[in-house]
Amino acid sequence: SAVISQKPSRDICQRGTSLTIQCQVDSQVTMMFWYRQQPGQSLTLIATANQGSEATYESGFVIDKFPISRPNLTFSTLTVSNMSPEDSSIYLCSYRREGLTDTQYFGPGTRLTVL
Amino acid sequence: AQSVTQLGSHVSVSEGALVLLRCNYSSSVPPYLFWYVQYPNQGLQLLLKYTSAATLVKGINDFEAEFKKSETSFHLTKPSAHMSDAAEYFCAVSSMDSSYKLIFGSGTRLLVRP
């Protein structure tokens, strides 16, 4: 599987500010995904990021709050905008390994704390 | 629509004992099923996956899972727990459509007692 990395690994931010999280894969992939994991919770899909098209957002997530870029087949960013303490979570990106299994591989996550 | 239920938010076993983590799925079509593990302060690591080949699937670190269609289950087992197995375990099912989404269970935290 390809190596997937995220930056930053963690951050502490003030409410009202924005943070952009970067996700890098060391080979070209078609589909990338962004998930949120709130404290003590499971993973919830925020959106699917496809290169060359707008991201597809899940119910409850909007582009103004979580803008996503996908400029090429190896990179994506997620911005958490106008943050509040409720945005404190781990944000994970993943990519889909295409083929029969359609397996997703995950990055190490970004631990965000909003004060 | 696909869904996953993990029974037991916490499971505690003694070191050397059998590990059994339960996962039941709901799917309108034959599913793809996955188990992921999340160690403290880390991302998710794929343990194993079922993709309609063999019903008994072997994964990393001696974990295995058996797909039982009649019971709609995909329980994760390991014969002998190690202290290093303490982590959060997530069962997931593929959406089986063009979105390729994963639907995750609520997770089970495995505690291993010395």
Side-chain angles (χ1 to χ4, degrees):
Chain A
S1 59
V3 176
I4 178 170
S5 60
Q6 286 183 235
K7 288 194 298 186
S9 58
R10 59 178 62 229
D11 208 341
I12 300 173
C13 301
Q14 297 297 320
R15 69 170 67 210
T17 63
S18 298
L19 176 71
T20 296
I21 302 168
Q22 300 179 6
C23 182
Q24 179 79 52
V25 186
D26 70 353
S27 62
Q28 294 184 342
V29 295
T30 304
M31 298 182 77
M32 297 179 73
F33 304 84
W34 286 97
Y35 291 83
R36 181 176 72 182
Q37 186 179 23
Q38 295 178 297
Q41 306 276 329
S42 185
L43 281 76
T44 301
L45 181 64
I46 297 172
T48 303
N50 296 323
Q51 195 269 336
S53 63
E54 294 286 330
T56 302
Y57 289 83
E58 297 300 300
S59 176
F61 298 96
V62 295
I63 187 171
D64 290 345
K65 176 67 176 177
F66 297 102
I68 288 170
S69 77
R70 183 79 200 274
N72 56 52
L73 290 174
T74 64
F75 187 78
S76 179
T77 68
L78 169 75
T79 298
V80 186
S81 303
N82 188 25
M83 290 184 285
S84 67
E86 291 71 33
D87 294 319
S88 297
S89 297
I90 300 173
Y91 293 87
L92 298 108
C93 69
S94 71
Y95 72 89
R96 171 184 167 239
R97 180 176 178 180
E98 298 171 32
L100 292 177
T101 59
D102 290 330
T103 303
Q104 285 189 31
Y105 294 91
F106 285 80
T110 296
R111 184 178 295 272
L112 171 63
T113 302
V114 183
L115 302 178
Chain B
Q2 277 68 15
S3 66
V4 168
T5 301
Q6 290 184 244
L7 297 176
S9 59
H10 292 79
V11 170
S12 180
V13 301
S14 297
E15 191 174 19
L18 171 71
V19 175
L20 171 61
L21 305 182
R22 299 179 185 274
C23 173
N24 289 89
Y25 70 90
S26 172
S27 177
S28 56
V29 297
Y32 292 162
L33 293 158
F34 306 85
W35 275 100
Y36 287 88
V37 60
Q38 186 176 35
Y39 298 103
N41 300 312
Q42 295 189 27
L44 268 68
Q45 180 180 359
L46 180 68
L47 273 178
L48 49 80
K49 57 192 175 188
Y50 167 77
T51 57
S52 74
T55 56
L56 182 62
V57 181
K58 295 187 182 298
I60 61 172
N61 300 336
D62 295 327
F63 282 96
E64 63 181 38
E66 186 173 8
F67 174 74
K68 292 187 176 181
K69 184 178 179 181
S70 61
E71 298 177 8
T72 61
S73 69
F74 189 57
H75 301 333
L76 181 70
T77 60
K78 181 173 179 175
S80 176
H82 294 167
M83 296 298 292
S84 59
D85 294 326
E88 187 89 18
Y89 291 79
F90 293 97
C91 182
V93 62
S94 173
S95 61
M96 305 303 289
D97 58 23
S98 60
S99 71
Y100 300 104
K101 294 186 290 189
L102 286 180
I103 297 94
F104 283 86
S106 54
T108 298
R109 182 168 297 278
L110 177 65
L111 307 172
V112 182
R113 305 185 302 271

